[in-house]
Short mmCIF file of all heavy atoms in Angstrom, two decimals:
data_model
loop_
_atom_site.label_atom_id
_atom_site.label_comp_id
_atom_site.label_asym_id
_atom_site.label_seq_id
_atom_site.Cartn_x
_atom_site.Cartn_y
_atom_site.Cartn_z
N LEU A 258 -12.69 -16.98 -6.34
CA LEU A 258 -11.38 -16.72 -6.16
C LEU A 258 -10.93 -15.25 -6.59
O LEU A 258 -9.84 -15.04 -7.05
CB LEU A 258 -10.50 -17.72 -6.93
CG LEU A 258 -10.68 -19.17 -6.38
CD1 LEU A 258 -9.83 -20.18 -7.21
CD2 LEU A 258 -10.21 -19.23 -4.95
N GLN A 259 -11.86 -14.40 -6.58
CA GLN A 259 -11.65 -12.98 -6.78
C GLN A 259 -11.76 -12.24 -5.45
O GLN A 259 -12.46 -12.64 -4.52
CB GLN A 259 -12.67 -12.40 -7.77
CG GLN A 259 -12.60 -13.05 -9.20
CD GLN A 259 -11.26 -12.80 -9.85
OE1 GLN A 259 -10.74 -11.72 -9.79
NE2 GLN A 259 -10.67 -13.78 -10.52
N PRO A 260 -11.10 -11.14 -5.28
CA PRO A 260 -11.25 -10.32 -4.05
C PRO A 260 -12.67 -9.84 -4.01
O PRO A 260 -13.38 -9.51 -5.02
CB PRO A 260 -10.22 -9.14 -4.22
CG PRO A 260 -10.02 -9.03 -5.68
CD PRO A 260 -10.11 -10.51 -6.27
N VAL A 261 -13.12 -9.64 -2.80
CA VAL A 261 -14.52 -9.08 -2.55
C VAL A 261 -14.62 -7.76 -3.14
O VAL A 261 -13.63 -6.94 -3.10
CB VAL A 261 -14.82 -9.09 -1.04
CG1 VAL A 261 -16.19 -8.39 -0.81
CG2 VAL A 261 -14.78 -10.44 -0.46
N ARG A 262 -15.80 -7.37 -3.71
CA ARG A 262 -15.91 -6.07 -4.35
C ARG A 262 -15.53 -4.92 -3.36
O ARG A 262 -15.96 -4.94 -2.23
CB ARG A 262 -17.35 -5.85 -4.81
CG ARG A 262 -17.55 -4.49 -5.62
CD ARG A 262 -18.89 -4.53 -6.30
NE ARG A 262 -19.04 -3.42 -7.09
CZ ARG A 262 -19.74 -2.25 -6.79
NH1 ARG A 262 -20.38 -2.27 -5.60
NH2 ARG A 262 -19.83 -1.25 -7.55
N GLY A 263 -14.72 -3.98 -3.78
CA GLY A 263 -14.35 -2.93 -2.96
C GLY A 263 -13.08 -3.26 -2.16
O GLY A 263 -12.62 -2.44 -1.38
N THR A 264 -12.39 -4.36 -2.42
CA THR A 264 -11.10 -4.68 -1.82
C THR A 264 -10.09 -4.96 -2.94
O THR A 264 -10.53 -5.07 -4.12
CB THR A 264 -11.17 -5.89 -0.87
OG1 THR A 264 -11.51 -7.09 -1.72
CG2 THR A 264 -12.26 -5.74 0.17
N GLN A 265 -8.88 -4.95 -2.58
CA GLN A 265 -7.85 -5.22 -3.66
C GLN A 265 -6.69 -5.91 -2.94
O GLN A 265 -6.45 -5.89 -1.77
CB GLN A 265 -7.41 -3.90 -4.21
CG GLN A 265 -6.73 -2.94 -3.26
CD GLN A 265 -6.09 -1.80 -3.96
OE1 GLN A 265 -5.81 -1.81 -5.12
NE2 GLN A 265 -5.82 -0.73 -3.11
N ASP A 266 -5.91 -6.58 -3.79
CA ASP A 266 -4.61 -7.14 -3.45
C ASP A 266 -3.52 -6.08 -3.75
O ASP A 266 -3.47 -5.59 -4.93
CB ASP A 266 -4.24 -8.41 -4.22
CG ASP A 266 -5.32 -9.46 -3.94
OD1 ASP A 266 -5.66 -9.65 -2.76
OD2 ASP A 266 -5.81 -10.07 -4.89
N ILE A 267 -2.67 -5.64 -2.86
CA ILE A 267 -1.59 -4.66 -3.07
C ILE A 267 -0.42 -5.46 -3.24
O ILE A 267 0.23 -5.97 -2.25
CB ILE A 267 -1.58 -3.69 -1.86
CG1 ILE A 267 -2.90 -3.01 -1.73
CG2 ILE A 267 -0.48 -2.70 -2.11
CD1 ILE A 267 -2.98 -2.07 -0.53
N ILE A 268 0.14 -5.47 -4.49
CA ILE A 268 1.36 -6.35 -4.74
C ILE A 268 2.25 -5.50 -5.80
O ILE A 268 1.83 -4.48 -6.32
CB ILE A 268 0.89 -7.62 -5.45
CG1 ILE A 268 0.03 -7.33 -6.70
CG2 ILE A 268 0.12 -8.53 -4.51
CD1 ILE A 268 -0.39 -8.56 -7.45
N GLY A 269 3.44 -6.02 -5.89
CA GLY A 269 4.45 -5.44 -6.90
C GLY A 269 4.79 -3.96 -6.56
O GLY A 269 4.97 -3.54 -5.39
N ASP A 270 4.63 -3.15 -7.62
CA ASP A 270 5.00 -1.73 -7.54
C ASP A 270 3.99 -1.02 -6.59
O ASP A 270 4.32 -0.06 -5.90
CB ASP A 270 4.97 -1.02 -8.90
CG ASP A 270 6.20 -1.39 -9.70
OD1 ASP A 270 7.19 -1.92 -9.04
OD2 ASP A 270 6.20 -1.08 -10.88
N ASP A 271 2.67 -1.50 -6.64
CA ASP A 271 1.74 -0.89 -5.71
C ASP A 271 2.14 -1.04 -4.23
O ASP A 271 1.93 -0.10 -3.43
CB ASP A 271 0.33 -1.51 -5.96
CG ASP A 271 -0.27 -0.89 -7.14
OD1 ASP A 271 0.22 0.07 -7.70
OD2 ASP A 271 -1.37 -1.40 -7.63
N TYR A 272 2.60 -2.25 -3.89
CA TYR A 272 3.09 -2.46 -2.57
C TYR A 272 4.23 -1.50 -2.19
O TYR A 272 4.27 -1.00 -1.10
CB TYR A 272 3.44 -3.92 -2.36
CG TYR A 272 3.95 -4.19 -0.96
CD1 TYR A 272 3.10 -4.39 0.10
CD2 TYR A 272 5.34 -4.20 -0.61
CE1 TYR A 272 3.53 -4.65 1.39
CE2 TYR A 272 5.82 -4.36 0.65
CZ TYR A 272 4.89 -4.62 1.64
OH TYR A 272 5.39 -4.86 2.97
N ALA A 273 5.16 -1.40 -3.22
CA ALA A 273 6.33 -0.47 -2.95
C ALA A 273 5.84 0.92 -2.73
O ALA A 273 6.26 1.64 -1.90
CB ALA A 273 7.26 -0.60 -4.06
N LEU A 274 4.87 1.40 -3.48
CA LEU A 274 4.31 2.73 -3.39
C LEU A 274 3.63 2.83 -1.99
O LEU A 274 3.74 3.91 -1.39
CB LEU A 274 3.29 3.02 -4.54
CG LEU A 274 3.86 3.37 -5.87
CD1 LEU A 274 2.77 3.23 -6.98
CD2 LEU A 274 4.37 4.78 -5.88
N PHE A 275 2.73 1.88 -1.69
CA PHE A 275 2.19 1.83 -0.40
C PHE A 275 3.07 2.06 0.73
O PHE A 275 2.94 2.93 1.66
CB PHE A 275 1.38 0.50 -0.27
CG PHE A 275 0.55 0.47 1.05
CD1 PHE A 275 -0.81 0.59 0.96
CD2 PHE A 275 1.19 0.13 2.24
CE1 PHE A 275 -1.54 0.54 2.22
CE2 PHE A 275 0.43 -0.06 3.34
CZ PHE A 275 -0.89 0.12 3.34
N GLU A 276 4.20 1.24 0.79
CA GLU A 276 5.14 1.34 1.89
C GLU A 276 5.87 2.62 1.86
O GLU A 276 6.16 3.23 2.94
CB GLU A 276 6.13 0.14 1.80
CG GLU A 276 5.56 -1.21 2.12
CD GLU A 276 5.21 -1.26 3.57
OE1 GLU A 276 6.11 -1.06 4.44
OE2 GLU A 276 4.05 -1.49 3.85
N ARG A 277 6.13 3.20 0.64
CA ARG A 277 6.87 4.44 0.60
C ARG A 277 6.00 5.62 1.16
O ARG A 277 6.50 6.44 1.90
CB ARG A 277 7.16 4.73 -0.87
CG ARG A 277 8.14 5.94 -1.11
CD ARG A 277 9.51 5.70 -0.43
NE ARG A 277 10.23 4.54 -1.05
CZ ARG A 277 10.83 4.64 -2.24
NH1 ARG A 277 10.97 5.82 -2.84
NH2 ARG A 277 11.39 3.55 -2.73
N VAL A 278 4.72 5.58 0.87
CA VAL A 278 3.83 6.65 1.37
C VAL A 278 3.75 6.59 2.88
O VAL A 278 3.93 7.59 3.58
CB VAL A 278 2.37 6.47 0.73
CG1 VAL A 278 1.38 7.39 1.50
CG2 VAL A 278 2.48 6.87 -0.77
N VAL A 279 3.59 5.44 3.41
CA VAL A 279 3.50 5.31 4.85
C VAL A 279 4.78 5.70 5.54
O VAL A 279 4.80 6.31 6.59
CB VAL A 279 3.01 3.90 5.33
CG1 VAL A 279 3.11 3.65 6.84
CG2 VAL A 279 1.67 3.61 4.76
N THR A 280 5.91 5.23 4.95
CA THR A 280 7.16 5.49 5.54
C THR A 280 7.48 7.02 5.55
O THR A 280 7.95 7.56 6.54
CB THR A 280 8.34 4.78 4.83
OG1 THR A 280 8.11 3.34 4.93
CG2 THR A 280 9.69 5.10 5.36
N ILE A 281 7.17 7.65 4.43
CA ILE A 281 7.43 9.11 4.42
C ILE A 281 6.52 9.78 5.32
O ILE A 281 7.02 10.76 6.08
CB ILE A 281 7.12 9.64 2.94
CG1 ILE A 281 8.25 9.20 1.97
CG2 ILE A 281 6.88 11.13 2.91
CD1 ILE A 281 8.01 9.47 0.52
N ALA A 282 5.26 9.40 5.44
CA ALA A 282 4.37 10.01 6.45
C ALA A 282 4.90 9.88 7.91
O ALA A 282 4.84 10.79 8.69
CB ALA A 282 2.91 9.44 6.32
N ARG A 283 5.36 8.67 8.14
CA ARG A 283 5.75 8.35 9.52
C ARG A 283 7.07 9.22 9.78
O ARG A 283 7.20 9.81 10.85
CB ARG A 283 6.07 6.88 9.68
CG ARG A 283 6.59 6.55 11.09
CD ARG A 283 6.89 5.08 11.19
NE ARG A 283 5.70 4.23 10.96
CZ ARG A 283 5.61 3.46 9.87
NH1 ARG A 283 6.55 3.36 8.92
NH2 ARG A 283 4.53 2.65 9.69
N ASP A 284 7.96 9.30 8.87
CA ASP A 284 9.26 9.99 9.03
C ASP A 284 8.98 11.47 9.19
O ASP A 284 9.62 12.07 10.20
CB ASP A 284 10.18 9.77 7.88
CG ASP A 284 10.70 8.32 7.82
OD1 ASP A 284 10.59 7.61 8.81
OD2 ASP A 284 11.31 8.00 6.77
N ILE A 285 8.17 12.08 8.44
CA ILE A 285 7.93 13.45 8.55
C ILE A 285 7.21 13.79 9.85
O ILE A 285 7.48 14.79 10.49
CB ILE A 285 7.17 14.06 7.28
CG1 ILE A 285 8.18 13.93 6.06
CG2 ILE A 285 6.80 15.53 7.48
CD1 ILE A 285 7.59 14.39 4.82
N SER A 286 6.21 13.03 10.22
CA SER A 286 5.47 13.27 11.35
C SER A 286 6.39 13.19 12.64
O SER A 286 6.20 13.96 13.63
CB SER A 286 4.26 12.33 11.56
OG SER A 286 4.70 10.95 11.70
N SER A 287 7.44 12.33 12.60
CA SER A 287 8.30 12.21 13.76
C SER A 287 9.09 13.45 13.93
O SER A 287 9.54 13.84 15.01
CB SER A 287 9.21 11.04 13.47
OG SER A 287 10.16 11.22 12.46
#
């Protein structure tokens, strides 16, 4: 019941950070 080595669960603040990075990248590229 652990993630496979080299993978991770992205949750909480990390998820918020993840979404912010992608959103900023998408907005600026547009």
Side-chain angles (χ1 to χ4, degrees):
L258 295 178
Q259 297 297 318
V261 175
R262 185 168 185 260
T264 67
Q265 63 168 342
D266 302 311
I267 301 175
I268 56 180
D270 283 349
D271 282 350
Y272 179 82
L274 281 164
F275 181 100
E276 287 295 303
R277 188 68 59 84
V278 167
V279 174
T280 298
I281 287 173
R283 182 184 296 111
D284 288 348
I285 292 179
S286 66
S287 69

